[in-house]
Amino acid sequence: MPLPSQEILTDIIDPALAEHGCLVEDIKVVRAGAKSQITVLLDAVEGRPSPDLDQLEILTAVVNDAIDAAEESGKVDFGTQPFTLEVSTPGVTHPLTLPRHWKRNRGRLVNLRDTNDVQSVWRIGAVSEDGSQVILVPTAQAGSAKGAKKKAPKTGDGSVVRVLELEQVKSAVVEVEFSTAPDHEVQLAGKDFDDAANARLED
């Protein structure tokens, strides 16, 4: 019998994780006979820190128990097909696709490609209350980010920052930063959304 789908596994695991302030970020199911594997990527709910190694050990047991309970109840049937279970958190290269991803990485560099296929590097600022927009701070560090050969982007409208609709994001990945961020960039990234959105060059 084949391994359950990603959707079924998420329905099984999410309720158990909720008690620990976590949720399923992604599930990857590799069906390869004796080498089949289920990889569960976890994230903390908004406002909670990402699980550390000690917490991941506990959460692995939580996920395993949830799967066992679902099989015992007849909700799923793994049959006799063996599989390995891996529980982890998304790495730094995991795409930013949800508002909580942007919030968690506030202050970091992001390599962005928008829906016009324009690629640039910015520093992540505040996310709007409704989660539809994010503040992007032009950064002098763009060229020093790993693999980046880009000049600091310009807003083009006289603003200090760019206000980006998240629906205009085609892809976004956090960039590794090798030097200390300039103070003015840190300050802008730390501003409330409305304060940053109203910032002008004369400020």
Side-chain angles (χ1 to χ4, degrees):
M1 181 170 290
L3 294 175
S5 68
Q6 179 186 32
E7 292 75 16
I8 292 174
L9 289 170
T10 298
D11 289 343
I12 291 170
I13 297 170
D14 248 347
L17 291 175
E19 300 178 11
H20 297 267
C22 290
L23 46 77
V24 173
E25 176 68 34
D26 192 16
I27 294 181
K28 299 177 182 178
V29 179
V30 177
R31 300 171 176 85
K35 294 184 179 180
S36 294
Q37 180 169 312
I38 298 175
T39 301
V40 182
L41 298 180
L42 308 181
D43 195 8
V45 296
E46 193 169 317
R48 296 279 292 269
S50 296
D52 59 23
L53 291 177
D54 290 337
Q55 292 170 318
L56 280 176
E57 185 175 349
I58 296 171
L59 293 169
T60 298
V62 170
V63 171
N64 192 67
D65 289 347
I67 290 175
D68 286 347
E71 187 167 26
E72 289 175 6
S73 68
K75 186 172 183 178
V76 293
D77 184 3
F78 289 89
T80 59
Q81 183 178 357
F83 67 90
T84 57
L85 174 66
E86 179 183 350
V87 178
S88 184
T89 54
V92 70
T93 59
H94 194 75
L96 308 184
T97 58
L98 299 171
R100 61 182 168 84
H101 298 160
W102 293 85
K103 291 178 181 179
R104 189 176 302 282
N105 287 287
R106 185 174 179 177
R108 304 185 73 176
L109 296 181
V110 61
N111 192 322
L112 167 74
R113 184 180 295 277
D114 61 27
T115 49
N116 293 318
D117 271 336
V118 175
Q119 185 174 2
S120 52
V121 175
W122 303 79
R123 191 171 303 282
I124 301 172
V127 175
S128 63
E129 187 174 348
D130 65 0
S132 66
Q133 298 174 310
V134 63
I135 295 293
L136 297 178
V137 180
T139 174
Q141 303 292 82
S144 62
K146 185 177 181 182
K149 297 180 180 178
K150 310 169 187 68
K151 295 181 180 179
K154 299 183 183 300
T155 60
D157 63 354
S159 299
V160 174
V161 301
R162 177 181 180 184
V163 179
L164 179 71
E165 299 283 345
L166 290 184
E167 65 181 13
Q168 295 177 346
V169 176
K170 187 172 184 178
S171 65
V173 179
V174 168
E175 283 276 8
V176 176
E177 192 167 7
F178 295 97
S179 56
T180 303
D183 288 343
H184 71 280
E185 292 180 18
V186 174
Q187 291 172 4
L188 280 172
K191 281 180 174 286
D192 291 340
F193 181 87
D194 289 339
D195 289 342
N198 291 327
R200 296 289 169 183
L201 289 176
E202 60 267 28
D203 295 337

